Amino acid sequence: MSSRFQSAMFGSSLVYPNAVVWSEENLVAVACTNTVLILNPENPGVRGVVTVPSSKPFPLGVVDGGGEDLLSGCLLPFHLSRDTRPCVRSISWSPSGLANNAGCLLAVCTTGGRVKLYRFPFCEFSAEWIEVKSTYFGECEIISSESSDVILSQDNGCANDPPICSLRNDNKRRRTDAVAAKDLDNLSDNVWQIVPFSDSNEKLPEKVSENCKLPLVTVQQYASRNTMLTAVTVSWSPILRTSENDLANPDNTTNCCSILAIGGKCGRISFWRIHAPERYSIVSSRSSGKSLLVGLLRAHEAWITAISWALYDSSASNPHFVLATGSSDGRVKIWQVNGEELLKSSEVNHASFSLLKEVMTDDSATVSILSLTVPSHSPQKLLLAIGKGSGSFEVWVLDMSANKFEKVGCYNAHDRIVTGLAWAFDGRCLYSCSQDNSMKSWIFVGNSLCEVLIPSSSLGLKNSPDVPFVFDSCFGLAVSPGNLATAVARRFDADLLNPMYQARTQRTSVEFLWIGGQQMDLSSTVCPLVNNEAFPGLSKTELVWWQSNILWSLNQFENSSRVLIIWDIIAALLALKQSVPKYVDDIILKWLTSYFRSQFGISTSSTFEALKSLPKLSSRQLHLINIIGRRVVLKECKADNLSSKKHESERVHGADEEHVNLWMELLRSSESELLERLVGFTFSASLSLLSCSSNDPNGLSQMEQWVSLNEKNVKDHSKFLAAEVRKVDKRRLQEENEPCNFCSAVVPFESREYAICSGVNCDTGVIQRHKLERCSITMRVRPIKPSWYCMCCKRWATKLAPTIIFTMPEYSSDFKSLVQSSSYRDSSTPFCPFCGILLQRSQPEYSLSPSPV
């Protein structure tokens, strides 16, 4: 059995499959009955929560008939329902960048048919997540075929169907009868218009008052309308980037968006385009991105039970998606989605979807979960895993270039419903879990899957001794952004818990397991570089694969389009470093060798050559060097010492001084290289007279002074640009003096990190100097107001850096062309210019916050 290194317990029960999801900003959400709990894997004791409120069902009409009609079979679910509050059926994280603070939105679908979006409470300092009121799903307007002047709205507040976890192979859902299907087809596509709604008011739409007479409907119409309006599952698409031409569309106000797919009981899927906010902020919570219905698809004749997206053609001009949909009748369909049409569409589009393949599972069991991935080494091939209610799963390979679909096999892996499937390590490994409380790992051996053992080591990290190992079922799993850890949601066996002290408060547990030592090749015979005796609890095979998988994960994050979240990499390296620092040094040295083409730190000449090659590295590679240097190699050093020149007296206790000095020099040189790219771009933008907010000239004086103070170390091109700016705007640079935040004294520029004013107390005449912090981007004195904060280097930012700084493949001697290529975008991203991670608002320790590192 695998050993957990972290765990958390909840007092709510698990009900539906795929109950745990891991976001791009390193937050884990768990769906438990009528709540969603959000936690940080680094500190699972601090949590956020989404509470599903109880609500009254909106009227669908008055059933025309006597008591016999009310006993009709189609109304049986309504009579059997006893839930006063809806349960959470499906949850899904959006890509990073859609929330106000550039984080992720959480879509929550309940058994009442509602779908709501929630954001992180970065302004409210509250555990309860904030509902995005301006973007609301599930409230739908429909026009009756008999009475077109009456608008109805539904919001069922009760669960009227059994959870999917109770399904078995022999339990198949009855299809909608002919009368109900005919009524569904007669309903207009306009039923998907958004109706604003507030839980606090509980009011009906304006055209339907409480005193008005509702239209008479038959029991079949009542049941079919409820089916029409009830959502079952949700899923976000990968991020979509809009081009310069797309920005001409008034609906496309930002340069990125995502498509939210909502599957319903009626077999239809609605597609909503959710845009990022026009401007990111940690102060204002009112600026939310636009939402627009852009597509409708009649995918199945039964319930939509699972949806999965994959982007296989990421070209900016015409991105293409593959969409996999599964239903309660055991059918799976694969669709090709035209991303360009969804980006440009300003109304409901039916032509963006084309059916590629329909798959009927072997036993026709309900499809419980789908997992779709695109291996980076073969971007035209897709891997699809289909989990079923019978306990088996199927794997298919889709070759998009040849339009071929090949079934890898059907695997009877579990005894009960498959509740979780997750691809890892670029499609080389598949993890599955089931309601029978089993979790298994599978790898490709030739053209088929083979079960392998899950790594059992916790890397020496402290376990949670108060969490008992008494589980009866597993309800989902999720893989971390770096693929080195997994989160598993399990339900306790109440019969094995102490009824007085445990059974009342311990119903669900989320376990975090290391999978970095996962074996990927059964024929591998490579031996570890060091003696196995120094690694208690780790086998030789696991050692080999820990090194291989860490290096693979670091290489994956060299892609600048991926959000830089390497918490699992840093945590694993630190855990290994506690016992065997030499092993960690070997991994880092091998990783740096791939950058510098020489072994860093072996000799003075090799180190000098490595520092000279920094301008040839991409910005993302420099960010990775800075993070590994700060958080792993120089973890014991204080952030202030790493950012200043006064480090000679600071030594890491017990560490090799020469090794520490080399890394400090590498860190300062790497940060200086990144800063020169930012300064060069800002100077060029100012010379081009751009007025975009991302190219604000604020800070030109401080940047020019920084170049002058570091004249011996900066590049000639930086000095040339500084001289050109001085010629063009000499008067303004001379007249700009920064005032102190606490007195009226002038603040001279002495360092880019901090400033000390030359103030004098007017009452006592005593010199009173204030130490002030500077913005890491503009180098100006940081005002006394909430600012962006970097969790890695502990710096602050009041302005945001232009996006192009983070995507530069190397130092550019022609910043003018870069400015011109990005001139049409007002694109600023809240990323740290030195670490590349997502900036955030600094939160107190008792509040939940993401941990990118």
Side-chain angles (χ1 to χ4, degrees), residues 149-320:
D149 58 336
V150 178
I151 298 180
L152 303 178
S153 178
Q154 85 89 21
D155 181 24
N156 294 319
C158 58
N160 54 19
D161 48 77
I164 196 172
C165 64
S166 65
L167 295 176
R168 297 293 185 271
N169 182 26
D170 55 345
N171 293 334
K172 301 179 181 180
R173 296 202 172 272
R174 181 168 48 87
R175 294 189 180 184
T176 308
D177 55 21
V179 177
K182 183 178 180 181
D183 183 64
L184 271 176
D185 295 335
N186 291 333
L187 291 174
S188 171
D189 286 340
N190 294 328
V191 303
W192 301 99
Q193 296 178 4
I194 296 175
V195 177
F197 175 76
S198 174
D199 287 330
S200 60
N201 295 330
E202 292 289 348
K203 293 181 179 179
L204 298 176
E206 295 181 0
K207 294 187 179 181
V208 180
S209 66
E210 295 182 358
N211 298 324
C212 76
K213 184 178 180 181
L214 297 175
L216 297 178
V217 295
T218 64
V219 291
Q220 290 82 5
Q221 289 175 331
Y222 187 92
S224 64
R225 290 177 181 179
N226 177 76
T227 303
M228 178 71 176
L229 300 176
T230 302
V232 177
T233 184
V234 291
S235 180
W236 292 88
S237 76
I239 202 72
L240 275 171
R241 304 289 178 181
T242 54
S243 63
E244 183 176 5
N245 296 329
D246 295 330
L247 291 178
N249 187 340
D251 294 320
N252 294 336
T253 56
T254 56
N255 65 342
C256 68
C257 63
S258 179
I259 307 299
L260 176 62
I262 303 177
K265 288 184 179 180
C266 61
R268 287 193 180 188
I269 303 177
S270 59
F271 298 89
W272 302 83
R273 189 175 65 220
I274 312 298
H275 287 270
E278 295 184 14
R279 191 180 301 272
Y280 296 120
S281 173
I282 55 172
V283 179
S284 174
S285 58
R286 298 180 179 180
S287 58
S288 299
K290 285 186 176 182
S291 58
L292 183 67
L293 176 68
V294 294
L296 280 175
L297 176 64
R298 184 64 179 269
H300 296 271
E301 297 297 328
W303 288 19
I304 305 293
T305 55
I307 300 175
S308 183
W309 291 85
L311 178 65
Y312 75 92
D313 185 1
S314 58
S315 61
S317 58
N318 188 16
H320 281 85

Side-chain angles (χ1 to χ4, degrees), residues 498-736:
N498 186 304
M500 177 64 72
Y501 302 104
Q502 295 177 322
R504 297 181 179 181
T505 59
Q506 299 179 6
R507 298 182 180 179
T508 297
S509 175
V510 174
E511 298 181 300
F512 293 94
L513 314 173
W514 286 121
I515 57 174
Q518 184 66 65
Q519 185 177 2
M520 300 296 169
D521 186 1
L522 296 179
S523 61
S524 177
T525 57
V526 181
C527 296
L529 301 178
V530 293
N531 192 346
N532 185 45
E533 295 180 357
F535 300 87
L538 283 177
S539 65
K540 290 185 178 182
T541 302
E542 284 185 285
L543 286 176
V544 173
W545 288 109
W546 262 113
Q547 182 184 86
S548 175
N549 292 333
I550 288 176
L551 293 175
W552 171 87
S553 187
L554 285 170
N555 291 334
Q556 294 300 303
F557 282 103
E558 291 183 18
N559 183 359
S560 59
S561 63
R562 294 192 61 176
V563 181
L564 192 53
I565 302 292
I566 58 174
W567 165 83
D568 50 350
I569 301 177
I570 302 299
L573 289 174
L574 290 177
L576 292 167
K577 185 180 179 182
Q578 292 179 1
S579 302
V580 280
K582 181 63 169 60
Y583 178 70
V584 175
D585 291 341
D586 291 339
I587 294 176
I588 296 176
L589 180 61
K590 188 173 182 179
W591 169 62
L592 285 179
T593 302
S594 64
Y595 283 8
F596 300 130
R597 308 298 180 186
S598 62
Q599 292 191 346
F600 173 78
I602 297 300
S603 63
T604 304
S605 59
S606 64
T607 302
F608 180 73
E609 291 297 326
L611 297 179
K612 286 179 60 178
S613 62
L614 288 178
K616 299 180 181 179
L617 298 182
S618 66
S619 296
R620 175 55 65 88
Q621 291 174 324
L622 295 174
H623 292 149
L624 289 170
I625 291 175
N626 293 345
I627 295 176
I628 297 298
R630 282 184 176 273
R631 308 301 292 186
V632 179
V633 182
L634 305 174
K635 175 152 179 83
E636 291 80 3
C637 297
K638 296 181 179 179
D640 295 339
N641 298 328
L642 295 177
S643 303
S644 64
K645 295 182 180 180
K646 299 179 181 180
H647 70 283
E648 285 78 4
S649 60
E650 297 290 336
R651 292 290 184 263
V652 180
H653 181 69
D656 181 69
E657 294 185 0
E658 183 179 359
H659 182 68
V660 171
N661 289 336
L662 288 175
W663 266 97
M664 283 188 168
E665 185 63 30
L666 175 62
L667 179 62
R668 277 195 304 277
S669 300
S670 177
E671 290 189 346
S672 178
E673 171 64 28
L674 288 166
L675 188 58
E676 282 201 66
R677 298 183 185 189
L678 175 62
V679 169
F681 185 86
T682 304
F683 283 163
S684 299
S686 177
L687 293 173
S688 301
L689 301 178
L690 295 179
S691 58
C692 297
S693 60
S694 61
N695 305 321
D696 195 297
N698 287 345
L700 284 178
S701 176
Q702 288 72 26
M703 292 182 180
E704 189 275 331
Q705 293 180 70
W706 176 80
V707 173
S708 299
L709 291 175
N710 297 271
E711 188 174 359
K712 295 182 179 180
N713 299 322
V714 299
K715 301 179 179 62
D716 292 337
H717 188 57
S718 298
K719 290 184 282 187
F720 169 76
L721 291 176
E724 291 296 315
V725 171
R726 196 179 302 113
K727 291 179 183 178
V728 175
D729 213 358
K730 182 177 181 180
R731 180 179 178 182
R732 192 187 67 82
L733 293 178
Q734 291 177 345
E735 292 179 353
E736 181 167 352

Side-chain angles (χ1 to χ4, degrees), residues 67-77 79 177 219-220:
E68 295 182 359
D69 290 339
L70 296 178
L71 297 178
S72 176
C74 61
L75 293 184
L76 185 61
H79 296 303
D177 55 21
V219 291
Q220 290 82 5

Side-chain angles (χ1 to χ4, degrees), residues 13-19 31 33 87-89 111 161-171 173 232 303 305 366-369 388-391 415-420 433-436 472-476 491:
S13 299
L14 299 168
V15 181
Y16 289 92
N18 201 24
T33 55
C87 293
V88 178
R89 182 194 294 276
T111 53
D161 48 77
I164 196 172
C165 64
S166 65
L167 295 176
R168 297 293 185 271
N169 182 26
D170 55 345
N171 293 334
R173 296 202 172 272
V232 177
W303 288 19
T305 55
T366 297
V367 177
S368 58
I369 190 169
K388 297 179 289 185
S390 59
D415 297 330
R416 301 178 70 180
I417 180 174
V418 178
T419 55
C433 67
S434 168
Q435 198 183 6
D436 63 7
D472 64 359
S473 54
C474 182
F475 278 83
R491 188 174 64 186

